[in-house]
Amino acid sequence: MEGEASVNKLHTQIEIKPQGQEPPPPYSSVVDNSEMDIQPEGKLPFFKSRYRQRASDTWLISLLVILHLVAFITTTLFNYFSTGSVFFQPLSENPLLGPSASTLDKVGALRRAFLVQNHLNWRFFVCPWLHAGIIHFAINISCMIFIGIHLERDYGPLRIGVIYLLSAFFGSLVCSLFVRNNPVVTSSGALFGLLGTMLSGLIRNWKVYSSKGAALAALITVLATNFLLGLLPYIDNFANIGAFISGLLLGFVLLLTPQIRQMSKNKAGLFECGVKHSKSTIKLKQKLALDRPILRSISLILFVILLSGCLVALFLGIDINHYCGWCRFIDCIPYKRWSCNDGPNTCEGLPFHQHFTGKDK
């Protein structure tokens, strides 16, 4: 009896392990909180990143910021050597704390006389890099970094670079149809192109993203802030509107599903890590990458039509202000502290205009 009792006691101490089950690792008692915070299956949180991206992931936006900074420093130096004393004009002349009107003319701002009479079309390629003042530069670059970094990480530098440049050029074309005889810059147009791209990406991949309300709120805030800034002199709001439409259409054409990087066995993402890989996620990605050819085709056709129409209108010298008397208020709101009237704002503008036209008045 004692022998049987000892055998039974021995059996009760043996752990029965199901076949095929691996023993837990020795560190399984340590729980990583980041692994526990997982979004719903197949979702990418918008504007939220829990892991450090490599510097190479945002080289395009970094390069664009450097180019804008070089252009702004060059403009400031031009203003200093033109006036001989100050880097920025007083707020009564430039409410954005920037250069004079004649300095903007020298560095490549758009003005109707330069485009129609003198055909200085090289300004279309220079104007998108110019800023009207340090206030304009700070707000525009900050918003571009905020929006551009997320778009570049999600969709890659090639697509975003193409959209950025085409939107900037298209914005300058639209500006040429409305510009009066005041110098204007169109650097905000490229930002509005990125905003249009962000909206198209959000619409196109609506089922992929979570926190869509926060993304829309951020988009509207940035858009409204920069549009209100465009109501001041020297910033063209028509370029902003045109570039936004361009970015929206090109976004539907070029953007597919956000790139999903492999972070770990259960996590991935670009706007965010925290996406659970599963068969449904893979199927969703394949579906979004292959569908909607009609939407892409229609968007491409509309963009080509608008681009061609603007080029034809430019070559014909069409001035929409002749047909729309109130359009000027979309671009600049008159106020006692600044002027929105046509013509040079300072005595410097006239000699510079004579220098290019070769005519004495």
Side-chain angles (χ1 to χ4, degrees):
M1 297 295 293
E2 293 181 2
E4 293 179 1
S6 63
V7 172
N8 293 335
K9 183 177 180 181
L10 180 62
H11 278 295
T12 58
Q13 295 177 355
I14 296 177
E15 181 181 0
I16 300 175
K17 181 171 116 177
Q19 186 175 0
Q21 180 177 348
E22 293 294 334
Y27 53 86
S28 61
S29 59
V30 180
V31 179
D32 186 0
N33 293 330
S34 62
E35 296 287 342
M36 299 299 294
D37 186 12
I38 298 177
Q39 295 293 324
E41 190 171 297
K43 294 291 185 178
L44 283 168
F46 216 88
F47 289 135
K48 190 176 180 183
S49 179
R50 297 191 189 96
Y51 68 98
R52 186 180 299 275
Q53 295 278 358
R54 296 174 300 173
S56 60
D57 292 336
T58 57
W59 66 266
L60 173 66
I61 297 300
S62 302
L63 176 61
L64 294 175
V65 170
I66 292 174
L67 293 176
H68 279 289
L69 179 61
V70 170
F72 182 72
I73 293 175
T74 302
T75 304
T76 304
L77 292 177
F78 261 97
N79 193 72
Y80 177 78
F81 290 117
S82 296
T83 61
S85 58
V86 295
F87 289 102
F88 305 115
Q89 299 302 113
L91 293 176
S92 58
E93 181 179 342
N94 188 334
L96 295 165
L97 195 61
S100 64
S102 61
T103 298
L104 291 175
D105 285 335
K106 292 177 183 179
V107 296
L110 294 179
R111 188 196 284 260
R112 176 151 298 277
F114 295 152
L115 298 178
V116 177
Q117 300 175 11
N118 304 315
H119 303 288
L120 301 178
N121 295 328
W122 57 268
R123 294 175 178 270
F124 285 112
F125 305 97
V126 177
C127 192
W129 304 99
L130 302 179
H131 289 83
I134 191 171
I135 298 176
H136 181 208
F137 177 82
I139 295 177
N140 187 65
I141 294 300
S142 300
C143 295
M144 187 182 75
I145 293 174
F146 174 66
I147 300 295
I149 283 180
H150 291 285
L151 289 176
E152 185 179 358
R153 288 174 177 175
D154 248 27
Y155 302 106
L158 179 60
R159 290 188 179 96
I160 299 304
V162 170
I163 293 174
Y164 184 93
L165 294 177
L166 287 178
S167 297
F169 178 71
F170 186 79
S172 295
L173 285 180
V174 175
C175 170
S176 68
L177 304 180
F178 293 89
V179 67
R180 297 179 293 160
N181 209 27
N182 283 333
V184 293
V185 298
T186 62
S187 56
S188 294
L191 170 63
F192 274 75
L194 294 181
L195 291 173
T197 304
M198 175 183 167
L199 179 59
S200 65
L202 186 61
I203 295 174
R204 186 177 181 84
N205 302 299
W206 188 262
K207 295 182 179 180
V208 176
Y209 292 124
S210 62
S211 306
K212 293 180 281 287
L216 287 174
L219 187 151
I220 293 173
T221 300
V222 174
L223 190 148
T225 300
N226 286 272
F227 186 84
L228 291 176
L229 192 68
L231 297 177
L232 299 177
Y234 306 127
I235 303 177
D236 193 85
N237 258 342
F238 292 106
N240 297 341
I241 296 173
F244 181 83
I245 296 174
S246 172
L248 182 67
L249 295 176
L250 291 175
F252 285 130
V253 174
L254 298 178
L255 301 188
L256 298 176
T257 306
Q259 298 174 359
I260 299 180
R261 288 191 176 90
Q262 181 73 25
M263 294 301 298
S264 66
K265 187 175 181 180
N266 295 323
K267 295 175 64 177
L270 181 55
F271 266 137
E272 168 55 17
C273 66
V275 180
K276 186 177 180 181
H277 284 296
S278 65
K279 292 182 179 179
S280 62
T281 306
I282 296 174
K283 289 180 180 179
L284 177 62
K285 180 179 179 181
Q286 292 175 346
K287 179 181 178 182
L288 290 176
L290 298 175
D291 70 354
R292 301 176 184 173
I294 297 178
L295 176 62
R296 290 199 294 271
S297 301
I298 293 176
S299 299
L300 179 59
I301 293 173
L302 287 176
F303 175 75
V304 172
I305 292 175
L306 291 175
L307 179 62
S308 303
C310 289
L311 287 173
V312 171
L314 173 65
F315 291 139
L316 294 177
I318 294 177
D319 184 2
I320 298 183
N321 291 298
H322 292 162
Y323 312 98
C324 180
W326 53 267
C327 287
R328 65 181 185 272
F329 298 111
I330 298 178
D331 184 42
C332 183
I333 298 295
Y335 186 60
K336 61 182 180 180
R337 295 185 179 275
W338 60 76
S339 174
C340 296
N341 296 326
D342 290 352
N345 288 350
T346 65
C347 59
E348 301 176 275
L350 188 57
F352 180 72
H353 177 71
Q354 293 175 355
H355 171 74
F356 269 97
T357 59
K359 298 178 181 180
D360 293 331
K361 294 184 179 181

